[in-house]
């Protein structure tokens, strides 16, 4: 992963400190020494080793002649706010302000060495949360202006761009973007004991069974179709919203690893699952193949961390494969694969990661974008999970009375077949016999 965005509620922040290492320590060393939950590279420095343009740490001004750029000031941490007044607070960091008082800065002020497209890091505030951003050089590189626009689009109320390029590196709850450079100063954030509460913990239903659903990625993630019409993170959130009520209707409680607009790290997602002690963990993704264009790889596949196939995680994956197959979803040749992905390796519960199709395949993408197809995928997912939990699937109230009504994803085609006299409009969920097929082919004038 080459971009990480995280939001830390200020109410759960214990303290924020600037750790000055004068370019002598790596990210790993700082993380190990401080045991901070979040570490992000800080501001820039001059060739003589002094920080610039403005750095105040623990009451001491470390940079040269003070001027008045907008930056972040705080004493302990939860009081962090954007201001140009550096005298009042014990700590102050300023580099390049991108958003101030909810407004994107028209012409961000920066030197030539900071310009161009490169890895970026930023600190900001959004809602009641501290917002942290880090990307590396490469696909997720940005100019100061595109970074500003991205953060404004994500609803950041204020933002300061920190040092970029080879300095841009972070450890957000164990999730890292690394670089070899030893930067001058680091922003370290510690959480209160107990840390962040998983979302919706208070509302957790008193169900016999609980499932943790993990919608992959989050706002700002670039994964998507080559033509830009499909974004993986939007799909994963939408799917979670479809699967959750289906499970709840079966009396299964659901915990989500994220909210609509946050972007927790993979380790945070595993932690949320582990705290809620679910019966299983299901991560929602779509796949990619190739160098950025369309490719022929297609179909659904499911990952678990490892064999043997008798392990609960593989039983879960097999149940899911069975229900997808029964629903007529196109599968990969070997639909179950093993990979030590973080969310699979760090979760205590039996865990599976579903790649519902390839967003680099034109046909798969057309299906993935279709709301009715998503309903079908969601129902198959919920059914597979219930199969694994030993929960007998109860048809929705009314569904029994509507035996001649097909599922919503098939309704349109069913109606057409009826209208044209290809099918008689009964038993939408029954299998078709060879003789019935012959009759249908005859009606279509195909034989
Ligand atoms: Zn993904």
């Amino acid at each position: 992963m080459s971009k990480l965005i995280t939001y830390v509620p200020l109410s759960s922040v214990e303290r924020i400190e600037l750790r000055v290492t004068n370019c002598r320590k790596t990210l790993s060393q700082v993380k190990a020494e401080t045991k901070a939950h979040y570490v992000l590279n800080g501001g820039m420095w001059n060739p003589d080793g002094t920080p610039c343009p403005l750095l105040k740490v623990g009451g001491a001004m470390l940079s040269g002649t003070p001027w008045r750029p907008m930056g972040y000031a705080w004493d302990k941490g939860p009081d962090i706010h954007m201001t140009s007044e550096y005298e009042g607070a014990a700590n102050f960091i300023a580099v390049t302000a991108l958003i101030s008082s909810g407004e994107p800065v028209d012409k961000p002020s920066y030197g030539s060495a900071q310009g161009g497209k490169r890895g970026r890091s930023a600190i900001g505030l959004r809602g009641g949360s501290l917002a942290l951003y880090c990307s590396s050089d490469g696909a997720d590189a940005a100019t100061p202006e595109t970074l500003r626009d991205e953060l404004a689009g994500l609803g950041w109320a204020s933002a300061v761009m920190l040092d970029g390029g080879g300095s841009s590196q972070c450890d957000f709850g164990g999730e890292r973007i690394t670089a070899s450079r030893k930067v001058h100063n680091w922003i370290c954030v510690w959480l209160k004991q107990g840390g962040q509460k998983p979302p919706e913990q208070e509302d957790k239903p008193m169900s016999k069974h609980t499932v943790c659903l993990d919608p992959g990625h989050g706002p700002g993630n670039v994964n998507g179709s080559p033509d830009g019409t499909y974004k993986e993170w939007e799909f994963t959130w939408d799917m979670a919203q479809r699967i959750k009520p289906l499970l709840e209707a079966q009396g299964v409680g659901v915990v989500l690893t994220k909210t609509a607009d946050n972007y927790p790290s993979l380790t945070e997602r595993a932690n949320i699952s582990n705290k809620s002690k679910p019966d299983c963990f299901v991560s929602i993704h779509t796949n990619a193949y190739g160098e950025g264009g369309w490719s022929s790889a297609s179909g659904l596949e499911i990952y678990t961390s490892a064999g043997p196939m008798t392990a609960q995680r593989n039983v879960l994956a097999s149940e899911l494969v069975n229900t997808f197959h029964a629903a007529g979803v196109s599968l990969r040749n070997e639909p179950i694969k093993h990979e030590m992905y973080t969310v699979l390796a760090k979760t205590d519960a039996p865990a599976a990661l579903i790649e519902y199709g390839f967003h680099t395949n034109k046909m798969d993408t057309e299906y993935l974008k279709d709301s009715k197809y998503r309903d079908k995928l969601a129902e198959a997912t919920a059914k597979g999970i219930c199969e694994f939990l030993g929960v007998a699937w109860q048809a929705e109230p009314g569904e029994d009375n509507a035996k001649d009504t097909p599922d919503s994803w098939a309704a349109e085609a069913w109606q057409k077949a009826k209208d044209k006299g290809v099918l008689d409009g009964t038993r939408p969920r029954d299998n078709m016999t060879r003789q019935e097929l012959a009759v249908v082919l005859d009606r279509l004038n195909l034989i």
Side-chain angles (χ1 to χ4, degrees), residues 305-355:
S305 54
M309 292 312 284
T310 49
Q312 284 297 295
R313 57 184 170 272
N314 285 301
V315 174
L316 170 64
S318 301
E319 296 292 6
L320 286 164
V321 163
N322 290 343
T323 51
F324 286 124
H325 180 66
V329 174
S330 152
L331 303 171
R332 303 280 289 162
N333 280 345
E334 284 176 53
I336 298 180
K337 296 198 172 63
H338 298 121
E339 197 75 53
M340 295 302 276
Y341 290 137
T342 305
V343 291
L344 300 177
K346 288 194 175 178
T347 40
D348 301 332
L353 184 152
I354 307 174
E355 301 274 15

Short mmCIF file of all heavy atoms in Angstrom, two decimals, residues 305-355:
data_model
loop_
_atom_site.label_atom_id
_atom_site.label_comp_id
_atom_site.label_asym_id
_atom_site.label_seq_id
_atom_site.Cartn_x
_atom_site.Cartn_y
_atom_site.Cartn_z
N SER A 305 -5.83 -17.39 5.21
CA SER A 305 -4.40 -17.26 5.49
C SER A 305 -3.61 -18.52 5.15
O SER A 305 -2.47 -18.42 4.72
CB SER A 305 -4.19 -16.88 6.96
OG SER A 305 -4.84 -17.77 7.81
N ALA A 306 -4.17 -19.71 5.34
CA ALA A 306 -3.40 -20.92 5.09
C ALA A 306 -4.27 -22.16 5.17
O ALA A 306 -5.41 -22.08 5.62
CB ALA A 306 -2.27 -21.04 6.13
N GLY A 307 -3.73 -23.30 4.75
CA GLY A 307 -4.40 -24.58 4.93
C GLY A 307 -4.36 -24.96 6.40
O GLY A 307 -3.91 -24.14 7.21
N PRO A 308 -4.79 -26.12 6.82
CA PRO A 308 -5.44 -27.15 6.01
C PRO A 308 -6.90 -26.79 5.71
O PRO A 308 -7.47 -25.93 6.37
CB PRO A 308 -5.38 -28.39 6.92
CG PRO A 308 -5.48 -27.82 8.30
CD PRO A 308 -4.73 -26.51 8.24
N MET A 309 -7.46 -27.50 4.73
CA MET A 309 -8.83 -27.16 4.31
C MET A 309 -9.86 -27.49 5.39
O MET A 309 -11.00 -27.06 5.30
CB MET A 309 -9.17 -27.90 3.00
CG MET A 309 -8.38 -27.39 1.80
SD MET A 309 -8.36 -25.58 1.63
CE MET A 309 -10.02 -25.30 0.99
N THR A 310 -9.46 -28.26 6.41
CA THR A 310 -10.39 -28.56 7.50
C THR A 310 -10.44 -27.43 8.52
O THR A 310 -11.32 -27.41 9.38
CB THR A 310 -9.97 -29.86 8.23
OG1 THR A 310 -8.57 -29.76 8.52
CG2 THR A 310 -10.24 -31.08 7.37
N ALA A 311 -9.48 -26.48 8.46
CA ALA A 311 -9.49 -25.35 9.41
C ALA A 311 -10.76 -24.52 9.20
O ALA A 311 -11.26 -24.42 8.08
CB ALA A 311 -8.25 -24.49 9.20
N GLN A 312 -11.25 -23.93 10.27
CA GLN A 312 -12.51 -23.18 10.22
C GLN A 312 -12.51 -22.10 9.14
O GLN A 312 -13.51 -21.89 8.47
CB GLN A 312 -12.80 -22.56 11.59
CG GLN A 312 -13.31 -23.56 12.60
CD GLN A 312 -14.66 -24.16 12.18
OE1 GLN A 312 -15.66 -23.48 12.11
NE2 GLN A 312 -14.65 -25.46 11.86
N ARG A 313 -11.37 -21.41 8.95
CA ARG A 313 -11.32 -20.33 7.93
C ARG A 313 -11.58 -20.90 6.54
O ARG A 313 -12.21 -20.27 5.70
CB ARG A 313 -9.98 -19.61 7.99
CG ARG A 313 -8.78 -20.51 7.81
CD ARG A 313 -7.46 -19.78 7.98
NE ARG A 313 -6.37 -20.73 8.02
CZ ARG A 313 -5.92 -21.31 9.13
NH1 ARG A 313 -6.47 -21.02 10.29
NH2 ARG A 313 -4.94 -22.18 9.09
N ASN A 314 -11.09 -22.12 6.29
CA ASN A 314 -11.30 -22.72 4.98
C ASN A 314 -12.69 -23.30 4.83
O ASN A 314 -13.23 -23.36 3.73
CB ASN A 314 -10.21 -23.77 4.71
CG ASN A 314 -8.89 -23.10 4.38
OD1 ASN A 314 -8.81 -22.34 3.42
ND2 ASN A 314 -7.88 -23.34 5.20
N VAL A 315 -13.28 -23.74 5.96
CA VAL A 315 -14.68 -24.17 5.93
C VAL A 315 -15.54 -22.96 5.56
O VAL A 315 -16.43 -23.05 4.71
CB VAL A 315 -15.10 -24.75 7.31
CG1 VAL A 315 -16.59 -25.05 7.32
CG2 VAL A 315 -14.27 -25.99 7.63
N LEU A 316 -15.24 -21.82 6.19
CA LEU A 316 -15.96 -20.57 5.87
C LEU A 316 -15.83 -20.25 4.37
O LEU A 316 -16.82 -19.98 3.69
CB LEU A 316 -15.39 -19.42 6.72
CG LEU A 316 -15.83 -18.01 6.36
CD1 LEU A 316 -17.33 -17.82 6.58
CD2 LEU A 316 -15.04 -16.97 7.20
N ALA A 317 -14.60 -20.31 3.87
CA ALA A 317 -14.37 -19.99 2.45
C ALA A 317 -15.12 -20.96 1.55
O ALA A 317 -15.71 -20.55 0.54
CB ALA A 317 -12.86 -20.03 2.16
N SER A 318 -15.13 -22.24 1.92
CA SER A 318 -15.83 -23.25 1.10
C SER A 318 -17.33 -23.00 1.09
O SER A 318 -17.97 -23.13 0.04
CB SER A 318 -15.56 -24.66 1.63
OG SER A 318 -14.19 -24.91 1.63
N GLU A 319 -17.90 -22.65 2.26
CA GLU A 319 -19.34 -22.37 2.31
C GLU A 319 -19.67 -21.19 1.40
O GLU A 319 -20.68 -21.19 0.69
CB GLU A 319 -19.79 -22.04 3.74
CG GLU A 319 -19.65 -23.19 4.73
CD GLU A 319 -20.60 -24.36 4.47
OE1 GLU A 319 -21.31 -24.34 3.44
OE2 GLU A 319 -20.63 -25.29 5.29
N LEU A 320 -18.80 -20.18 1.42
CA LEU A 320 -19.03 -19.00 0.58
C LEU A 320 -18.94 -19.38 -0.90
O LEU A 320 -19.78 -18.98 -1.71
CB LEU A 320 -18.03 -17.90 0.93
CG LEU A 320 -18.31 -17.18 2.26
CD1 LEU A 320 -17.09 -16.40 2.73
CD2 LEU A 320 -19.51 -16.24 2.11
N VAL A 321 -17.93 -20.16 -1.26
CA VAL A 321 -17.78 -20.60 -2.66
C VAL A 321 -19.04 -21.35 -3.10
O VAL A 321 -19.56 -21.12 -4.20
CB VAL A 321 -16.52 -21.48 -2.83
CG1 VAL A 321 -16.59 -22.27 -4.13
CG2 VAL A 321 -15.27 -20.61 -2.81
N ASN A 322 -19.55 -22.21 -2.21
CA ASN A 322 -20.75 -22.98 -2.56
C ASN A 322 -21.94 -22.07 -2.84
O ASN A 322 -22.67 -22.29 -3.82
CB ASN A 322 -21.12 -23.94 -1.42
CG ASN A 322 -20.12 -25.07 -1.31
OD1 ASN A 322 -19.35 -25.31 -2.24
ND2 ASN A 322 -20.08 -25.74 -0.16
N THR A 323 -22.16 -21.07 -1.98
CA THR A 323 -23.33 -20.22 -2.20
C THR A 323 -23.14 -19.32 -3.43
O THR A 323 -24.09 -19.04 -4.14
CB THR A 323 -23.69 -19.37 -0.97
OG1 THR A 323 -22.54 -18.68 -0.52
CG2 THR A 323 -24.25 -20.23 0.15
N PHE A 324 -21.90 -18.87 -3.68
CA PHE A 324 -21.68 -18.07 -4.90
C PHE A 324 -21.91 -18.92 -6.13
O PHE A 324 -22.51 -18.48 -7.11
CB PHE A 324 -20.25 -17.49 -4.91
CG PHE A 324 -20.07 -16.35 -3.95
CD1 PHE A 324 -19.07 -16.39 -2.98
CD2 PHE A 324 -20.90 -15.25 -3.99
CE1 PHE A 324 -18.91 -15.35 -2.08
CE2 PHE A 324 -20.74 -14.19 -3.09
CZ PHE A 324 -19.74 -14.25 -2.13
N HIS A 325 -21.44 -20.17 -6.06
CA HIS A 325 -21.63 -21.08 -7.19
C HIS A 325 -23.13 -21.30 -7.44
O HIS A 325 -23.60 -21.21 -8.57
CB HIS A 325 -20.92 -22.40 -6.92
CG HIS A 325 -21.07 -23.40 -8.03
ND1 HIS A 325 -20.52 -23.21 -9.27
CD2 HIS A 325 -21.73 -24.58 -8.09
CE1 HIS A 325 -20.83 -24.22 -10.04
NE2 HIS A 325 -21.57 -25.08 -9.35
N ALA A 326 -23.85 -21.56 -6.35
CA ALA A 326 -25.30 -21.80 -6.46
C ALA A 326 -26.03 -20.58 -7.03
O ALA A 326 -27.04 -20.71 -7.71
CB ALA A 326 -25.87 -22.17 -5.10
N ALA A 327 -25.50 -19.39 -6.75
CA ALA A 327 -26.14 -18.16 -7.23
C ALA A 327 -25.74 -17.86 -8.68
O ALA A 327 -26.21 -16.88 -9.26
CB ALA A 327 -25.76 -16.99 -6.33
N GLY A 328 -24.84 -18.68 -9.23
CA GLY A 328 -24.44 -18.48 -10.62
C GLY A 328 -23.38 -17.42 -10.82
O GLY A 328 -23.23 -16.86 -11.90
N VAL A 329 -22.61 -17.14 -9.75
CA VAL A 329 -21.54 -16.14 -9.85
C VAL A 329 -20.33 -16.78 -10.53
O VAL A 329 -19.96 -17.91 -10.20
CB VAL A 329 -21.16 -15.61 -8.45
CG1 VAL A 329 -19.96 -14.69 -8.52
CG2 VAL A 329 -22.35 -14.92 -7.82
N SER A 330 -19.72 -16.06 -11.45
CA SER A 330 -18.55 -16.59 -12.14
C SER A 330 -17.35 -16.65 -11.19
O SER A 330 -16.97 -15.65 -10.58
CB SER A 330 -18.28 -15.69 -13.36
OG SER A 330 -16.92 -15.70 -13.68
N LEU A 331 -16.76 -17.85 -11.09
CA LEU A 331 -15.66 -18.07 -10.14
C LEU A 331 -14.35 -18.30 -10.89
O LEU A 331 -14.35 -18.74 -12.04
CB LEU A 331 -15.95 -19.32 -9.29
CG LEU A 331 -17.24 -19.34 -8.48
CD1 LEU A 331 -17.47 -20.71 -7.88
CD2 LEU A 331 -17.20 -18.29 -7.39
N ARG A 332 -13.22 -18.04 -10.20
CA ARG A 332 -11.91 -18.39 -10.75
C ARG A 332 -11.79 -19.92 -10.78
O ARG A 332 -12.50 -20.63 -10.06
CB ARG A 332 -10.79 -17.84 -9.85
CG ARG A 332 -10.84 -16.35 -9.64
CD ARG A 332 -10.26 -15.57 -10.77
NE ARG A 332 -8.82 -15.68 -10.86
CZ ARG A 332 -8.14 -15.37 -11.97
NH1 ARG A 332 -8.79 -14.97 -13.04
NH2 ARG A 332 -6.83 -15.46 -11.99
N ASN A 333 -10.84 -20.42 -11.56
CA ASN A 333 -10.65 -21.87 -11.63
C ASN A 333 -10.38 -22.49 -10.27
O ASN A 333 -10.93 -23.52 -9.93
CB ASN A 333 -9.49 -22.21 -12.56
CG ASN A 333 -9.94 -22.15 -14.01
OD1 ASN A 333 -11.15 -22.15 -14.27
ND2 ASN A 333 -9.01 -22.09 -14.93
N GLU A 334 -9.49 -21.86 -9.50
CA GLU A 334 -9.24 -22.30 -8.13
C GLU A 334 -9.74 -21.19 -7.23
O GLU A 334 -9.01 -20.26 -6.91
CB GLU A 334 -7.76 -22.50 -7.88
CG GLU A 334 -7.19 -23.75 -8.48
CD GLU A 334 -5.69 -23.80 -8.27
OE1 GLU A 334 -5.25 -23.67 -7.10
OE2 GLU A 334 -4.97 -23.92 -9.26
N PRO A 335 -10.99 -21.27 -6.79
CA PRO A 335 -11.58 -20.10 -6.12
C PRO A 335 -11.08 -19.87 -4.69
O PRO A 335 -11.33 -18.81 -4.14
CB PRO A 335 -13.08 -20.39 -6.14
CG PRO A 335 -13.19 -21.86 -6.32
CD PRO A 335 -11.98 -22.33 -7.04
N ILE A 336 -10.38 -20.83 -4.10
CA ILE A 336 -9.85 -20.59 -2.74
C ILE A 336 -8.33 -20.55 -2.80
O ILE A 336 -7.69 -21.46 -3.31
CB ILE A 336 -10.32 -21.67 -1.75
CG1 ILE A 336 -11.85 -21.63 -1.65
CG2 ILE A 336 -9.69 -21.45 -0.38
CD1 ILE A 336 -12.44 -22.65 -0.70
N LYS A 337 -7.78 -19.45 -2.30
CA LYS A 337 -6.32 -19.29 -2.32
C LYS A 337 -5.83 -18.90 -0.93
O LYS A 337 -6.62 -18.42 -0.11
CB LYS A 337 -5.92 -18.22 -3.33
CG LYS A 337 -6.26 -18.60 -4.76
CD LYS A 337 -5.49 -17.76 -5.76
CE LYS A 337 -5.67 -18.27 -7.18
NZ LYS A 337 -7.06 -18.20 -7.65
N HIS A 338 -4.55 -19.09 -0.71
CA HIS A 338 -3.98 -18.79 0.61
C HIS A 338 -2.91 -17.73 0.52
O HIS A 338 -2.03 -17.80 -0.34
CB HIS A 338 -3.43 -20.08 1.23
CG HIS A 338 -4.49 -21.10 1.46
ND1 HIS A 338 -4.48 -22.34 0.91
CD2 HIS A 338 -5.66 -21.02 2.15
CE1 HIS A 338 -5.58 -23.00 1.25
NE2 HIS A 338 -6.31 -22.22 2.01
N GLU A 339 -3.01 -16.75 1.40
CA GLU A 339 -2.08 -15.62 1.39
C GLU A 339 -2.10 -15.03 2.80
O GLU A 339 -3.16 -14.92 3.40
CB GLU A 339 -2.58 -14.58 0.37
CG GLU A 339 -1.58 -13.57 -0.07
CD GLU A 339 -0.55 -14.12 -1.04
OE1 GLU A 339 -0.94 -14.72 -2.06
OE2 GLU A 339 0.63 -13.96 -0.74
N MET A 340 -0.92 -14.64 3.29
CA MET A 340 -0.87 -14.09 4.66
C MET A 340 -1.15 -12.59 4.65
O MET A 340 -0.36 -11.79 5.14
CB MET A 340 0.50 -14.38 5.30
CG MET A 340 0.76 -15.86 5.51
SD MET A 340 -0.49 -16.67 6.55
CE MET A 340 0.14 -16.28 8.18
N TYR A 341 -2.29 -12.19 4.12
CA TYR A 341 -2.66 -10.77 4.17
C TYR A 341 -2.85 -10.36 5.63
O TYR A 341 -3.29 -11.17 6.45
CB TYR A 341 -3.97 -10.54 3.41
CG TYR A 341 -3.86 -10.69 1.92
CD1 TYR A 341 -4.83 -11.37 1.20
CD2 TYR A 341 -2.79 -10.13 1.22
CE1 TYR A 341 -4.75 -11.51 -0.18
CE2 TYR A 341 -2.70 -10.26 -0.15
CZ TYR A 341 -3.68 -10.95 -0.85
OH TYR A 341 -3.59 -11.09 -2.22
N THR A 342 -2.55 -9.10 5.91
CA THR A 342 -2.58 -8.63 7.30
C THR A 342 -3.91 -8.91 7.98
O THR A 342 -3.94 -9.42 9.11
CB THR A 342 -2.30 -7.11 7.34
OG1 THR A 342 -1.06 -6.88 6.68
CG2 THR A 342 -2.21 -6.60 8.77
N VAL A 343 -5.03 -8.58 7.31
CA VAL A 343 -6.33 -8.76 7.97
C VAL A 343 -6.66 -10.24 8.17
O VAL A 343 -7.50 -10.57 9.00
CB VAL A 343 -7.49 -8.07 7.21
CG1 VAL A 343 -7.37 -6.57 7.28
CG2 VAL A 343 -7.59 -8.56 5.78
N LEU A 344 -6.01 -11.12 7.43
CA LEU A 344 -6.24 -12.55 7.61
C LEU A 344 -5.31 -13.12 8.67
O LEU A 344 -5.69 -13.98 9.46
CB LEU A 344 -6.03 -13.30 6.29
CG LEU A 344 -6.95 -12.87 5.14
CD1 LEU A 344 -6.59 -13.62 3.86
CD2 LEU A 344 -8.41 -13.11 5.51
N ALA A 345 -4.09 -12.61 8.70
CA ALA A 345 -3.09 -13.14 9.63
C ALA A 345 -3.27 -12.59 11.04
O ALA A 345 -2.99 -13.27 12.02
CB ALA A 345 -1.68 -12.82 9.13
N LYS A 346 -3.76 -11.35 11.16
CA LYS A 346 -3.83 -10.72 12.48
C LYS A 346 -5.19 -10.86 13.16
O LYS A 346 -5.38 -10.38 14.27
CB LYS A 346 -3.46 -9.23 12.38
CG LYS A 346 -1.98 -9.00 12.13
CD LYS A 346 -1.62 -7.55 12.38
CE LYS A 346 -0.12 -7.33 12.25
NZ LYS A 346 0.25 -5.92 12.45
N THR A 347 -6.17 -11.45 12.49
CA THR A 347 -7.49 -11.63 13.10
C THR A 347 -7.54 -12.97 13.81
O THR A 347 -7.00 -13.96 13.33
CB THR A 347 -8.61 -11.57 12.04
OG1 THR A 347 -8.16 -12.27 10.87
CG2 THR A 347 -8.93 -10.14 11.67
N ASP A 348 -8.19 -12.97 14.99
CA ASP A 348 -8.31 -14.21 15.77
C ASP A 348 -9.40 -15.11 15.20
O ASP A 348 -9.28 -16.33 15.25
CB ASP A 348 -8.67 -13.88 17.23
CG ASP A 348 -7.62 -12.99 17.88
OD1 ASP A 348 -6.45 -13.07 17.45
OD2 ASP A 348 -7.97 -12.23 18.81
N ALA A 349 -10.48 -14.53 14.70
CA ALA A 349 -11.62 -15.30 14.21
C ALA A 349 -11.27 -15.95 12.86
O ALA A 349 -10.38 -15.46 12.17
CB ALA A 349 -12.83 -14.39 14.05
N PRO A 350 -11.99 -17.02 12.49
CA PRO A 350 -11.83 -17.55 11.13
C PRO A 350 -12.09 -16.42 10.13
O PRO A 350 -13.12 -15.76 10.21
CB PRO A 350 -12.93 -18.63 11.03
CG PRO A 350 -13.21 -19.02 12.44
CD PRO A 350 -12.99 -17.78 13.28
N ALA A 351 -11.12 -16.21 9.25
CA ALA A 351 -11.19 -15.01 8.40
C ALA A 351 -11.08 -15.36 6.93
O ALA A 351 -10.28 -16.22 6.55
CB ALA A 351 -10.08 -14.04 8.79
N ALA A 352 -11.88 -14.70 6.13
CA ALA A 352 -11.81 -14.88 4.67
C ALA A 352 -11.88 -13.51 4.01
O ALA A 352 -12.51 -12.59 4.53
CB ALA A 352 -12.97 -15.75 4.20
N LEU A 353 -11.19 -13.39 2.90
CA LEU A 353 -11.21 -12.14 2.12
C LEU A 353 -11.78 -12.46 0.74
O LEU A 353 -11.24 -13.30 0.03
CB LEU A 353 -9.80 -11.57 2.03
CG LEU A 353 -9.62 -10.21 1.34
CD1 LEU A 353 -8.40 -9.49 1.92
CD2 LEU A 353 -9.47 -10.32 -0.17
N ILE A 354 -12.91 -11.83 0.42
CA ILE A 354 -13.56 -12.11 -0.86
C ILE A 354 -13.15 -11.06 -1.89
O ILE A 354 -13.33 -9.86 -1.66
CB ILE A 354 -15.10 -12.09 -0.72
CG1 ILE A 354 -15.54 -13.04 0.39
CG2 ILE A 354 -15.75 -12.46 -2.06
CD1 ILE A 354 -17.04 -12.96 0.69
N GLU A 355 -12.58 -11.52 -2.99
CA GLU A 355 -12.35 -10.65 -4.15
C GLU A 355 -13.51 -10.94 -5.09
O GLU A 355 -13.52 -11.96 -5.77
CB GLU A 355 -11.01 -10.97 -4.83
CG GLU A 355 -9.78 -10.82 -3.93
CD GLU A 355 -9.22 -9.41 -3.90
OE1 GLU A 355 -9.93 -8.47 -4.33
OE2 GLU A 355 -8.08 -9.24 -3.43
#
